[in-house]
Amino acid sequence: MPAGAPADAPGASRDHAALAALVEHQQALLAREDEVHRVLVRVVLDGGGLPEVAAAVAGFFGGAATVTTTDGRLLASAGSLEGTDSVTDLPCFDRTGRLLVEDEPVGSRNPSGSADPARAFVRIVAGSSDLGMLGAFSPGPPLSPTDVHMLERAATVAALAITKEQAVAAVEGKYRAEFLRDALAGRAGDPADTASHAASLGWDIDRPLVVVAAETDENDAESTRSAEEVRGLQDRFVRAWTQAVRSRDTSVAVAGFSQEVVVLLPVDAEADAEAVLRPVGELVRVVRGDGGGGRRTFSTGVSRLVTSPADLPRAYEEALTAVHVGRQVNGDSGVAHFDRLGIYRLLALVPESADLRRFVTESLRELATDDVPENADLRNTLSVLIDTNLNVAETARRLFFHYNTLRYRIAKLERMLGPFTTDPQLRLTLALALRVHRMKGL
């Protein structure tokens, strides 16, 4: 032994012991990660899906786990945290149950309060495809880098489960979409056969329902996006609608086509348009996710009530008409019911928009344009006057005008347009011209 070795031996021994302890600790961590990976792979190979993967992750961390889409829509969750009925009650989820991914960075996050647990999120990736987010919530201290690494191992297994589910869903979705397209075109057989076939797919269409058509506002045929990006956006759009519908009722028929999603939404047979629009509006709100996720805008149309599968083709046409006319009248992102289109439905049947433009110009004259800033205000005054059946007092009240001010405006409008206060035919012409003027894209 070299000189001086006895004096250094205790320090060397301590270093060796520390190194041995570190190696042993690392081996234990690797063994734990390997065990986690084996358990999760076994879950998937045994036929388990995302709920089972989430349950396993929740068990590893002694808390809760979630799997969401890239924009935060909950795909699966498991486990629980003290003081919450559901993990979506936590502040990091919005009121629709969407994870606020824009506020939740990848990696570990320390709790900011008693209602804000320690948590960590990692991306679920397969090749170059970003499939979602895996999150773990712990009632204990902040999750360590080792915990995050273990969560990343779990994410690779979650990617396998998602890929498997997407492959199955793609085949099923294509088959379901083809059947629904046939039903909406009247090619699915007699009503009894159509209802029976739908039932074999898990859908109940033999009940009072309305057809809901949601169409993206962006025209994919004129898009500057790549074909792959357009397909990805449409797939996300269809998945969002499918998830929103199935979270409420798995027996509701829903399928995606080239640029739209169609839902056969059950309603009360006595429901009026207002009552029907409430659940439709709720679905639209959930699909939009309160503005999160960067999805494209879309417009929604709702048909009249149908009580037989035989009426689906007519209802589908009504829903599409509501989408297109509603977009013309109110712009993008609207929700329109066929029964509320009124005269706009007839105006939309005019095949040549140049004829409508000519009609507006000839009827409203100089008020047809906004060359003068006052024109828009005068058109609004004219519209309210006609809507109130020339009730000057009510019009003044609605427009917050003094009675004499409104009288002056009426005289000015008659000089510009003719004696509409005494000529009912002229009033009808002006009412139609105002409605055509409101329509977009003419």
Side-chain angles (χ1 to χ4, degrees):
M1 182 176 294
D8 295 335
S13 177
R14 283 194 301 271
D15 290 343
H16 180 75
L19 180 60
L22 179 61
V23 170
E24 184 178 349
H25 178 67
Q26 291 296 329
Q27 287 177 334
L29 291 177
L30 290 173
R32 184 186 178 212
E33 285 187 15
D34 288 340
E35 177 61 21
V36 168
H37 199 264
R38 281 195 297 271
V39 169
L40 289 169
V41 169
R42 194 179 310 122
V43 165
V44 175
L45 293 179
D46 288 344
L50 292 178
E52 290 75 19
V53 171
V57 173
F60 297 145
F61 290 96
T66 60
V67 181
T68 71
T69 61
T70 53
D71 57 352
R73 299 181 188 284
L74 192 66
L75 297 176
S77 66
S80 62
L81 293 168
E82 186 177 352
T84 60
D85 295 329
S86 169
V87 69
T88 55
D89 294 333
L90 296 172
C92 54
F93 290 84
D94 71 14
R95 57 197 177 118
T96 71
R98 184 182 71 86
L99 176 68
L100 298 171
V101 291
E102 54 270 26
D103 297 329
E104 293 295 324
V106 171
S108 179
R109 181 153 185 173
N110 296 337
S112 59
S114 58
D116 193 32
R119 57 193 181 274
F121 294 98
V122 297
R123 297 195 181 281
I124 303 172
V125 179
S128 60
S129 299
D130 196 349
L131 302 178
M133 300 274 284
L134 176 63
F137 300 80
S138 171
L143 277 68
S144 68
T146 303
D147 292 327
V148 174
H149 185 63
M150 186 175 73
L151 196 61
E152 289 172 344
R153 294 283 296 272
T156 63
V157 180
L160 178 62
I162 291 176
T163 302
K164 182 184 72 171
E165 289 185 5
Q166 286 183 349
V168 173
V171 175
E172 292 181 347
K174 182 178 180 181
Y175 184 66
R176 288 167 179 257
E178 287 176 354
F179 165 72
L180 185 56
R181 191 187 296 276
D182 286 343
L184 295 174
R187 298 192 301 262
D190 62 50
D193 288 342
T194 302
S196 176
H197 194 163
S200 72
L201 299 175
W203 290 341
D204 181 3
I205 65 172
D206 193 16
R207 52 182 167 175
L209 52 83
V210 293
V211 175
V212 178
E215 184 181 273
T216 55
D217 293 321
E218 182 180 339
N219 186 347
D220 289 343
E222 301 175 357
S223 176
T224 57
R225 305 178 192 270
S226 67
E228 182 179 357
E229 185 180 5
V230 168
R231 281 195 300 272
L233 288 170
Q234 181 63 13
D235 288 345
R236 174 191 277 187
F237 183 55
V238 174
R239 286 197 302 270
W241 269 99
T242 302
Q243 183 182 350
V245 169
R246 289 182 177 171
S247 66
R248 285 157 174 74
D249 186 345
T250 57
S251 69
V252 174
V254 53
F257 301 148
S258 60
Q259 206 169 327
E260 68 192 55
V261 173
V262 176
V263 181
L264 306 188
L265 187 68
V267 296
D268 189 284
E270 303 300 322
D272 58 12
E274 185 67 31
V276 169
L277 285 174
R278 280 195 289 272
V280 174
E282 176 63 18
L283 284 173
V284 168
R285 184 175 66 83
V286 172
V287 171
R288 288 183 178 141
D290 283 352
R295 290 167 300 282
R296 295 182 294 177
T297 63
F298 61 91
S299 298
T300 309
V302 185
S303 75
R304 289 171 169 163
L305 179 79
V306 297
T307 56
S308 168
D311 296 325
L312 288 176
R314 182 261 300 170
Y316 180 49
E317 289 299 322
E318 290 176 353
L320 291 180
T321 298
V323 170
H324 300 152
V325 177
R327 186 183 285 127
Q328 279 187 303
V329 175
N330 300 314
D332 293 346
S333 304
V335 179
H337 193 290
F338 185 79
D339 274 341
R340 290 189 164 186
L341 297 179
I343 191 64
Y344 294 112
R345 191 168 76 237
L346 297 177
L347 294 175
L349 297 177
V350 179
E352 178 53 62
S353 59
D355 291 337
L356 290 178
R357 285 195 294 269
R358 190 179 306 112
F359 171 71
V360 170
T361 302
E362 292 174 353
S363 302
L364 295 181
R365 302 179 188 177
E366 59 195 277
L367 289 186
T369 71
D370 287 329
D371 294 342
V372 178
E374 185 186 22
N375 286 353
D377 198 23
L378 287 172
R379 281 198 307 270
N380 185 50
T381 300
L382 178 62
S383 179
V384 176
L385 270 169
I386 293 174
D387 289 345
T388 61
N389 198 26
L390 301 182
N391 186 322
V392 177
E394 175 63 14
T395 301
R397 186 189 67 79
R398 291 189 188 184
L399 296 176
F400 302 101
F401 285 163
H402 188 277
Y403 186 88
N404 291 336
T405 300
L406 182 57
R407 280 293 184 190
Y408 169 78
R409 287 196 165 212
I410 292 173
K412 183 173 183 176
L413 284 168
E414 289 204 304
R415 288 195 301 271
M416 299 171 71
L417 304 173
F420 65 88
T421 58
T422 57
D423 186 341
Q425 293 300 320
L426 178 56
R427 269 202 310 280
L428 176 60
T429 298
L430 293 175
L432 286 173
L434 286 169
R435 278 158 176 76
V436 175
H437 188 278
R438 185 180 173 187
M439 296 175 71
K440 317 293 182 185
L442 295 178

